[in-house]
Amino acid sequence: MIGRLNHVAIAVPDLAAAAAQYENSLGAKVGPPQDEPDHGVTVVFIELPNTKIELLYPLGDNSPIQAFLDKNPAGGMHHMCFEVEDILAARDKLKSEGARVLGDGDPKIGAHGKPVLFLHPKDFNGCLIELEQI
């Protein structure tokens, strides 16, 4: 069911500084900031040869990333995203095995314009998992 690693997301307290660090210090290809109001974040994608890194910054007062940064002021890894061919089939299989899908359980459109779901970190060794339909 699980496909390739699509991205690793890192919550950052300063989006411009983090993007500049990846671009200037590491020589990475860094995309422009992209607001995602439905998810309460501004994202910047860093392109790597085999995957991406997603920098996350709070957008709005109710951003879940702000709550994460309140607990982790220096930032840190927020989630991993894996590709799946059929997000509804993946959701149903995982739910039948006891995994908890966050939110209302229905996919939302993510930063790549594709359906995404998040799985509770307590069900996956303390790591928030995002599934993205390819």
Side-chain angles (χ1 to χ4, degrees), residues 10-66:
I10 302 170
V12 298
D14 185 331
L15 188 59
Q21 183 180 42
Y22 277 90
E23 186 170 36
N24 299 330
S25 297
L26 297 173
K29 180 182 175 189
V30 176
Q34 177 180 327
D35 290 346
E36 294 294 331
D38 288 346
H39 298 278
V41 296
T42 299
V43 301
V44 167
F45 283 101
I46 298 161
E47 298 288 330
L48 304 176
N50 58 346
T51 192
K52 295 180 278 298
I53 295 172
E54 178 184 42
L55 302 177
L56 300 170
Y57 184 77
L59 177 65
D61 295 335
N62 295 324
S63 173
I65 298 306
Q66 185 59 60

